[in-house]
Amino acid sequence: MISFFFLIIYMGPFMLILLVSSIQVKCFHEIITIGYRVYRSYELPWFRTLSWYFLLCVNYFFYGETVADYFVTSVQREESLQFLIRYHRFISFVLYLAGFCIFVLSLVKKHYRLQFYMFGWTHVTLLITVTQSHLVIQNLFEGMIWFIVPISIVICNDIMAYLFGFFFGRTPLIKLSPKKTWEGLIGGFFSTVVFGFIISYILSQYEYFVCPVDYNSETNRFSANCEPSQMFQLQKYPIPSVLQTVLAWKTVSLYPFQIHSIALSTFASLIGPFGGFFASGFKRAFKIKDFADTIPGHGGIMDRFDCQYLMATFVHVYIASFIRGPNPSKVLQQLLVLQPEQQLHIYKILKAYLTERGLLHPALPAP
């Protein structure tokens, strides 16, 4: 599995997006199948059909938002796609509304409560799988390092927590997972922080991993070429005076992203496992061992990605809160699709602003 993952990374962002989408569909299938098995004796009309229809609707909405956000310039060149982009949200709403109406029309008197249970089941499943996978893709567009490092540290934490728990575990951690121990949690935490720090140092050296993913309309391919930001350039940090005598160093060179990796590793180690505990509670509630038997010896895809979805949300929130600033390329894309008179109006406002700040010579001729 690890070799396959490395191969997908080598093949580029597009294959990673396909991988995320495939995992999303499989996870949705596993959870919906559990609901179907539990309630299939009631012969609920349209349950599975509507569930898959809602999956298509929600994916259409999220992927359409991504296309409008990152590929608007390329899409504007295709007249057939302009209508879909311009009215994307309205079309998405109409599609969802059609499914909603079909659900209402399918209600059977003796199964009202059960049908609403399953309606809620489908929507919670969509929230867990589709929304989170969309956030994973959003993180990927910020740079492949924001995709690879979080996934890698969650895997590392799973492995190291298991090893420390197996060899040193004595104190039970939580009743939902009797095999989890405090020793495994603590050992996994320190191991994951070290691993995240090291892998962040390695990946920060390559543009392929640190540059935001852009779509090149001329080559019709995704690319990751840029001048690395300050976060991915070595910086010197002073060492505390207490440690200077021990290490014989006064400063240390680090990539700022390595410091951020500590926050990511901390979350993956201390909060991420709660995604697994949640999944364990879910399986216990329905008296099943695994979500499926897709992977021999491991269970279903959802059994392997229960912590990854929670991690994806944290990374997205972390980027939006502490990392992402104004994106000139996105602003430029939006400007290019405006009407000429709107572009000219913005130009005049920007010219006046820059002139007032002394950044532009007032004698610059207008177009």
Side-chain angles (χ1 to χ4, degrees):
M1 290 178 63
I2 295 176
S3 301
F4 175 73
F5 182 61
F6 284 144
L7 176 63
I8 294 296
I9 293 174
Y10 174 76
M11 296 176 70
F14 180 72
M15 292 304 298
L16 286 173
I17 292 174
L18 288 181
L19 175 64
V20 171
S21 301
S22 301
I23 291 172
Q24 171 220 120
V25 172
K26 183 56 181 172
C27 289
F28 180 85
H29 171 259
E30 291 177 357
I31 299 176
I32 288 297
T33 299
I34 293 173
Y36 176 72
R37 288 173 180 171
V38 173
Y39 299 113
R40 63 183 173 182
S41 60
Y42 294 92
E43 297 181 355
L44 299 180
W46 296 98
F47 166 59
R48 286 204 295 183
T49 302
L50 281 175
S51 295
W52 287 101
Y53 176 80
F54 283 128
L55 175 68
L56 292 174
C57 289
V58 176
N59 270 301
Y60 175 80
F61 170 75
F62 278 125
Y63 280 101
E65 291 288 302
T66 300
V67 170
D69 196 18
Y70 291 96
F71 312 113
V72 61
T73 304
S74 302
V75 170
Q76 287 296 328
R77 298 174 183 174
E78 301 291 335
E79 293 185 5
S80 58
L81 297 177
Q82 291 181 13
F83 175 84
L84 294 176
I85 292 298
R86 182 173 182 180
Y87 299 105
H88 169 68
R89 295 191 177 184
F90 181 78
I91 295 172
S92 301
F93 177 71
V94 170
L95 290 173
Y96 177 83
L97 199 60
F100 177 81
C101 292
I102 293 173
F103 167 75
V104 174
L105 293 173
S106 70
L107 289 172
V108 178
K109 186 175 182 180
K110 61 180 180 178
H111 295 319
Y112 284 160
R113 180 178 296 182
L114 190 58
Q115 285 182 281
F116 278 103
Y117 281 159
M118 300 313 297
F119 185 76
W121 180 292
T122 298
H123 283 68
V124 171
T125 305
L126 291 172
L127 178 65
I128 293 173
T129 58
V130 182
T131 305
Q132 308 302 321
S133 62
H134 173 69
L135 297 183
V136 172
I137 294 174
Q138 292 289 308
N139 298 339
L140 173 62
F141 278 107
E142 295 295 329
M144 291 178 64
I145 196 169
W146 291 104
F147 175 87
I148 298 171
V149 169
I151 289 178
S152 300
I153 59 180
V154 169
I155 295 173
C156 172
N157 184 69
D158 283 344
I159 295 173
M160 299 309 296
Y162 170 78
L163 292 177
F164 274 90
F166 182 82
F167 289 107
F168 307 107
R170 296 292 183 274
T171 312
L173 176 62
I174 187 171
K175 292 182 179 180
L176 281 173
S177 298
K179 294 183 180 180
K180 304 290 185 181
T181 63
W182 279 101
E183 291 81 3
L185 179 73
I186 296 171
F189 165 69
F190 286 106
S191 302
T192 303
V193 169
V194 173
F195 172 80
F197 200 77
I198 294 173
I199 192 175
S200 296
Y201 176 80
I202 295 172
L203 296 183
S204 294
Q205 302 177 47
Y206 300 96
E207 290 184 12
Y208 181 74
F209 296 115
V210 304
C211 290
V213 175
D214 291 319
Y215 179 73
N216 190 326
S217 57
E218 296 180 357
T219 60
N220 290 324
R221 297 183 61 184
F222 288 98
S223 61
N225 299 312
C226 69
E227 179 67 28
S229 65
Q230 291 293 323
M231 188 186 307
F232 302 108
Q233 296 181 15
L234 282 173
Q235 309 285 339
K236 288 188 176 182
Y237 294 91
I239 295 178
S241 56
V242 178
L243 298 176
Q244 288 183 11
T245 55
V246 178
L247 300 175
W249 298 341
K250 292 185 178 180
T251 61
V252 61
S253 296
L254 299 172
Y255 291 100
F257 182 79
Q258 290 179 268
I259 300 175
H260 292 292
S261 75
I262 297 175
L264 300 180
S265 298
T266 300
F267 183 90
S269 303
L270 302 182
I271 306 299
F274 281 85
F277 301 152
F278 176 86
S280 296
F282 180 89
K283 288 182 285 188
R284 285 177 178 271
F286 292 95
K287 297 179 174 61
I288 57 175
K289 181 181 179 182
D290 298 311
F291 282 94
D293 56 359
T294 308
I295 309 174
H298 291 271
I301 298 294
M302 192 65 195
D303 291 289
R304 297 295 90 206
F305 287 87
D306 45 11
C307 298
Q308 296 287 3
Y309 281 128
L310 190 60
M311 187 68 190
T313 304
F314 172 73
V315 173
H316 184 79
V317 173
Y318 188 87
I319 292 174
S321 301
F322 305 109
I323 305 299
R324 183 188 297 137
N327 191 327
S329 62
K330 289 186 179 180
V331 174
L332 182 60
Q333 285 183 345
Q334 293 176 342
L335 288 175
L336 292 177
V337 299
L338 295 177
Q339 297 296 323
E341 57 273 13
Q342 294 174 316
Q343 294 174 339
L344 186 60
H345 178 67
I346 292 175
Y347 166 79
K348 291 178 179 178
I349 294 176
L350 184 60
K351 176 190 173 185
Y353 174 76
L354 294 176
T355 301
E356 183 179 349
R357 294 188 58 187
L359 299 175
L360 195 64
H361 196 279
L364 186 67

